[in-house]
């Protein structure tokens, strides 16, 4: 990973790549920040969407491949692309598997001492907004939404349910909807959180949906039918069942016929997601 | 490079990755092929744009980062993404520099015996259309246009000038417009063609524009003003001067204020290019 900051004009705005020292992760973290033309042109600050990426990704994959910036620029919304884990700690085994350790932070706070730096939940929800306010003062971090893909879809949903007062809306592409019941989730939660099932449930979208007691909300989940991870790992029907039992949550579940788990799929439908979030974010103006 | 063929739904069509045995390059070549929804839906075959990529790229960079497929799908045009050189010959020194050898075929037919497999001109203009007709019979390879970026912009322009009866239109992002007068071109042409300046001129867009005697045509060149290669390597003003002296060519030269040489720049303006080509390709219906 080239450690060089950059700023490149992209549609009406600029795609930034930044690095900053993270206290909670104990290392330098990279991130992408797309600032729409409205960031520079308008007096009022712009809303922001956090785009949380999936396993093996860095901050760059969605920045380069999702095509989200075109639509974010049209709607005057900033997009922040965090990395997917701490890097550079050289924890024994951190790079042995593609679904655990580096590139696989799962947006949780690890409690096992070996993984003490894996604090992606605090990084995204607490440290990153403060950094953004300092670095990009015309981003309104109080007018924020969440989206993500796969592991990042899990991150977006769980962060939203746990912080419904801090975010306006959530959407997800092919999210891991019930990690406590799938191999990816069991491996990650077991490694980071130990054997305590109650701790696991605090980071499980399906469990959190069961217990959600916030204001009436609508979540948007998008899923390709040709996704090879659908049946074993993603389990959207489990989330759907939980939501149907909770009158405080409506779920827009869009199955996309023939689409897989890739960025080609994301790019095909990301405009729908920006429109969904724009509706919730613009309501604040 | 993972050598696995794939087919992924993308907007209304499918992004294919294919491999085939190339006689002219003496090796297996990879390519991307985007087929729009119209390829499957309509009885009449669809037109095609060849997208030629720049130095260091494979067939995958533009496939994944340019965003061109959205617009190609809207207009019912197929897009073919060839690789940028032969691979796997293990010619001594082929990977020593990023601007010569592997990833740097320059869309010419090398005459120096050491580089005898570097026949990207014949590959793109002769072998690839035959392969496409066999593999994707609903692509109309007689209704074809060219576009490219940087080294690929040079390729698109020179192939068009030399074969104006075979292609309907040409456009280029930040093309190398006058390779015989820039460091990249001198290094490549010297290596592949030897010291014969007359041979170099046969692959130089500015020289070919001077001698173009085909029907009246309009070429479209797009250039970012913040492109760090602009002054030393790209030289669009040399091409512009040649075109202004030739009444058979009009040149639409768009300078884009503040954009650089990256895919962020390409993605910002690729819709304009598809519209330009659609006008020329649709004229055949």
């Amino acid at each position: 990973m080239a450690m060089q900051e950059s700023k490149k004009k992209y549609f009406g705005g600029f795609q930034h790549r930044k690095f900053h020292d993270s206290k909670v992760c104990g290392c330098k973290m990279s991130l992408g920040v797309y600032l729409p033309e409205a960031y520079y042109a308008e007096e009022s600050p712009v809303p922001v969407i956090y785009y949380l990426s999936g396993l093996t990704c860095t901050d760059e994959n969605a920045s380069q491949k999702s095509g989200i910036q075109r639509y974010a620029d049209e709607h005057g919304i900033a997009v922040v692309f965090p990395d997917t884990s701490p890097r550079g700690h050289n924890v024994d085994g951190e790079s042995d598997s593609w679904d655990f350790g580096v590139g696989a932070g799962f947006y949780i706070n690890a409690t096992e001492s070996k993984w003490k730096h894996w604090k992606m939940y605090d990084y995204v929800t607490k440290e990153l907004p403060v950094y953004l306010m300092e670095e990009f003062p015309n981003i309104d971090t109080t007018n924020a939404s969440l989206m993500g893909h796969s592991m990042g879809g899990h991150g977006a949903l769980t962060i939203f349910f746990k912080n419904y007062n801090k975010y306006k809306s959530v959407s997800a592409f092919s999210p891991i909807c019930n990690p406590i019941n799938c191999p990816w989730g069991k491996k990650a939660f077991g490694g980071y959180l130990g054997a305590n099932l109650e701790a696991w449930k605090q980071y499980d979208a399906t469990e959190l949906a069961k217990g959600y007691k916030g204001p009436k909300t609508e979540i948007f989940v998008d899923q390709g039918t040709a996704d090879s991870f659908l049946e074993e790992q993603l389990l959207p029907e489990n989330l759907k069942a939980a939501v149907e039992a909770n009158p405080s949550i409506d779920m827009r579940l869009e199955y996309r016929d023939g689409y897989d788990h890739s960025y080609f799929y994301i790019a095909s439908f990301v405009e729908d997601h920006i429109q969904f979030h724009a509706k919730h974010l613009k309501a604040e103006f």
Side-chain angles (χ1 to χ4, degrees), chain A:
Chain A
M1 183 169 54
M3 295 295 268
Q4 203 173 353
E5 296 201 334
S6 62
K7 177 185 176 183
K8 289 163 181 284
K9 201 162 180 185
Y10 190 14
F11 288 100
F14 287 90
Q15 179 70 39
H16 292 255
R17 191 170 198 220
K18 303 291 284 183
F19 301 92
H20 69 125
D21 292 314
S22 166
K23 260 192 189 171
V24 301
C25 294
C27 63
K28 201 175 275 294
M29 294 291 283
S30 61
L31 75 154
V33 178
Y34 181 70
L35 300 179
E37 191 168 7
Y39 179 89
Y40 306 94
E42 292 185 9
E43 286 183 28
S44 57
V46 298
V48 58
I49 294 173
Y50 295 91
Y51 183 105
L52 307 183
S53 287
L55 288 164
T56 77
C57 287
T58 70
D59 60 293
E60 291 199 299
N61 302 65
S63 303
Q64 296 177 351
K65 296 180 180 178
S66 69
I68 191 173
Q69 294 92 337
R70 176 187 160 151
Y71 313 109
D73 189 38
E74 285 173 3
H75 289 277
I77 300 169
V79 186
V80 175
F81 306 86
D83 201 352
T84 55
S85 78
R87 294 180 192 267
H89 287 298
N90 297 315
V91 176
D92 184 40
E94 67 175 18
S95 298
D96 288 355
S97 36
W98 61 272
D99 55 2
F100 187 77
V102 167
F106 272 83
Y107 307 101
I108 70 180
N109 289 334
T111 51
E112 292 294 293
S113 60
K114 180 176 175 183
W115 303 101
K116 63 182 177 190
H117 296 299
W118 265 244
K119 294 279 190 287
M120 289 301 290
Y121 178 83
D122 278 353
Y123 175 71
V124 170
T125 61
K126 295 177 183 163
E127 191 175 38
L128 196 49
V130 173
Y131 167 77
L132 292 171
M133 281 188 279
E134 289 168 1
E135 195 72 25
F136 302 106
N138 209 29
I139 292 180
D140 180 3
T141 57
T142 68
N143 195 14
S145 291
L146 292 155
M147 61 187 290
H149 172 229
S150 196
M151 174 182 77
H154 140 78
L157 289 166
T158 54
I159 289 173
F160 179 78
F161 285 134
K162 291 159 79 78
N163 301 274
Y164 54 81
N165 56 335
K166 286 192 191 168
Y167 302 95
K168 298 287 192 293
S169 50
V170 64
S171 77
F173 289 100
S174 30
I176 304 171
C177 291
N178 191 193
I180 68 173
N181 286 315
C182 80
W184 279 341
K186 290 177 184 176
K187 178 175 178 179
F189 288 7
Y192 298 135
L193 303 171
N196 179 355
L197 182 61
E198 289 310 309
W200 293 20
K201 288 182 178 177
Q202 296 308 309
Y203 294 111
D204 183 285
T206 298
E207 291 296 321
L208 291 168
K210 288 179 188 170
Y212 176 80
K213 292 187 175 67
K216 176 87 178 182
T217 191
E218 182 196 20
I219 65 173
F220 177 13
V221 171
D222 203 298
Q223 177 61 56
T225 64
D227 185 330
S228 59
F229 301 115
L230 175 53
E231 288 190 21
E232 190 182 8
Q233 303 282 8
L234 305 179
L235 311 176
E237 295 297 328
N238 293 9
L239 177 59
K240 188 182 171 196
V243 165
E244 283 174 351
N246 186 337
S248 293
I249 312 175
D250 284 335
M251 180 171 170
R252 172 179 166 191
L253 175 56
E254 296 265 10
Y255 281 107
R256 311 291 192 175
D257 188 39
Y259 290 85
D260 72 358
H261 201 73
S262 70
Y263 282 97
F264 293 126
Y265 151 64
I266 295 171
S268 298
F269 298 106
V270 74
E271 184 174 15
D272 283 4
H273 289 245
I274 290 289
Q275 285 173 348
F276 171 80
H277 291 295
K279 196 177 58 183
H280 292 275
L281 292 164
K282 298 286 175 178
E284 294 302 300
F285 283 95

